[in-house]
Amino acid sequence: MKFSAFNPFPVYGTEADPARWPVPPRYSAPGLAGDGLARAWELCDLADELGFDYVSVAEHHYHPRQMTPNPLLMAAALSQRLRSAGVAVLGVDLPLTNPLRTAEELAVLDVLTGGRLLVGLFRGAPNEFLAYGTDPYRSREAYEEALDLVRAAWTEPEPFAWIGRHHEYRTVAVWPRPVQQPHPPILVAGNTPATARYAARQRCRLGLSFVSAARAAALVAAYREEARAAGWEPTADDVLCRQFALVAPSDDEADGLVRRYGYGDLTAMRAVSDPRVSRELTRAFGGTAPSTVDVLPAGPMFVGSSATVTAQVRDFVTATGVGILDLAFNELNLPFAHARRSLELFGREVIARL
Amino acid sequence: MDAQPADDVRGLRPGRDEVIALGPADGLPLSGIRVVGLSPPADRPARETAAALADTAGPGPHRILGRDAVALWWAVDRPESVVSLVLEAPTALHEEPLDEDLIARLPGCEVPVLVLFGHADPQAHRGRAYRRLLPRCTYALVHGAGADVRRDRPAQYARVVGDFLARDVLFAIGGDA
């Protein structure tokens, strides 16, 4: 069992309505981002000290909830900060930017981390496609092509041209090659059976987020079945799941914090300003969104005292076969002191019991 | 010889700059480019065949589509008659017995070469050898295509091969001059 501490790098203290997207930049008052960063580093350093296997970052745009529009910037900074934990980028929204730039930056990041990089190459959530005006209608096909391109860029030993329907580059020769050979482990988001099976056919790791134990178990079963059909057997490390966690000295206190701050309520977090835009984006994604749209949880998966959370984690892992838990302990709405204590309790009392 | 209709195409002069396909030319998704098929006899050494075809075709210069050692020998022995060469899923450097004489000559061949492989073709890695040996080689992977690039991705084939035939090494430059 491995643990990863996800840090969204929230910018605390803005006057903005966090239910809106995008959030007007005028709310980014001088100093707030730096303050948020200092707190995020405190948690990242603590996770490293507590023995987490990874610290993870994700790509999100135009919102104070996550100061990681290019998660590779924070990942690079983390790489020079963490003593033993690896860096997990979970993940890059591959269709939004130039995939060769992504391949180059990730290769450098693999060098910066000394080969301790884990990377999710994701299609991205629907609203992220508004950030750069990316075409969502053909995003599945464009994403799959970009994934193939990134892997070719990492593994082809000679300069080559890439001729695709969505990407065409006539000179590709990515330097440096990744430290991990043939390339860093790649996670593909698999929150639907079809995408879980795609991950298996691609021989990629499976990345789940915010799904129930029953749903995770079904997705992992589909992934394993498809992997076997493709002639390989995933290990526990091949399945990662992101969840919210909140650990407090008692179950009552933890439950009270969840209620008071709406902690882990993704239904409140996902927002596109115009509902028609939101519906159309979901339709553009093929009716079912790739990650969190269908089955948003209204609270964290793991909540309670350290004894309670230990049991919850054990049950979840037993039921699902997940090998790496990527856990969020901090969020914009949760006061920092509670987040810090939650992370520390998990590291000192939950990990030790598992 | 069988010919396709000649139309205007960027950089090519119809009637003068026809493309020679070593093998059947019908079915090539290259509308607007005059393609002439030449069928090499199978029972002679590649180098001799190349010389005979070059004699038949005349001084050119020609743009050649091929896949085996005949096309490469033509470029190596008669470089003045070859503007550029397109090798589609070529086999020349991997067929037994290896033509060591040809391999030794390739680093001195200045003819621009486009080597095309389908990304899903299990043999696509063979393209690397051409890129290593030929000083002016572009090794292209066509996404979504297997062993038969022109059938699997005709639009991409037409665009890339058409542009390479028109511009040879300037093909590396994007945009529209």
Side-chain angles (χ1 to χ4, degrees), chain A residues 37-164:
Chain A
L37 185 62
R39 290 174 173 181
W41 287 148
E42 189 178 334
L43 295 193
C44 294
D45 293 347
L46 180 58
D48 191 24
E49 179 194 321
L50 291 168
F52 278 79
D53 298 280
Y54 296 98
V55 173
S56 74
V57 292
E59 175 172 342
H60 290 286
H61 298 267
Y62 301 167
H63 202 286
R65 182 168 282 121
Q66 305 205 328
M67 194 176 25
T68 47
N70 178 352
L72 305 185
L73 287 173
M74 290 305 182
L78 273 171
S79 74
Q80 302 305 294
R81 206 176 168 92
L82 303 175
R83 292 181 178 184
S84 60
V87 175
V89 179
L90 305 170
V92 175
D93 292 343
L94 202 47
L96 268 54
T97 48
N98 183 322
L100 291 179
R101 180 66 171 239
T102 298
E104 288 181 322
E105 291 181 346
L106 285 169
V108 171
L109 193 55
D110 200 36
V111 175
L112 284 169
T113 60
R116 289 179 299 148
L117 174 67
L118 178 62
V119 60
L121 296 177
F122 296 164
R123 182 187 180 191
N127 72 303
E128 307 290 353
F129 280 69
L130 300 179
Y132 302 153
T134 307
D135 177 357
Y137 295 95
R138 279 161 288 278
S139 61
R140 183 78 220 166
E141 192 182 282
Y143 160 73
E144 292 183 5
E145 185 186 321
L147 179 64
D148 287 341
L149 171 54
V150 169
R151 277 190 296 194
W154 279 341
T155 54
E156 278 296 330
E158 300 298 325
F160 66 97
W162 182 265
I163 311 298

Side-chain angles (χ1 to χ4, degrees), chain B residues 14-101:
Chain B
R16 295 182 60 192
D17 291 331
E18 68 266 9
V19 172
I20 295 175
L22 299 183
D26 52 311
L28 275 171
L30 287 173
S31 66
I33 298 178
R34 178 181 166 82
V35 182
V36 177
L38 274 183
S39 297
D43 55 349
R44 294 167 63 186
R47 191 173 192 179
E48 282 180 30
T49 303
L53 291 177
D55 290 341
T56 304
H62 308 289
R63 292 161 171 81
I64 298 173
L65 308 180
R67 63 193 308 260
D68 61 14
V70 172
L72 280 168
W73 269 119
W74 190 339
V76 163
D77 276 347
R78 308 278 185 94
E80 70 287 350
S81 74
V82 182
V83 177
S84 61
L85 186 59
V86 175
L87 300 175
E88 191 180 336
T91 56
L93 299 185
H94 297 85
E95 274 179 343
E96 298 290 343
L98 289 177
D99 189 339
E100 299 291 351
D101 292 342

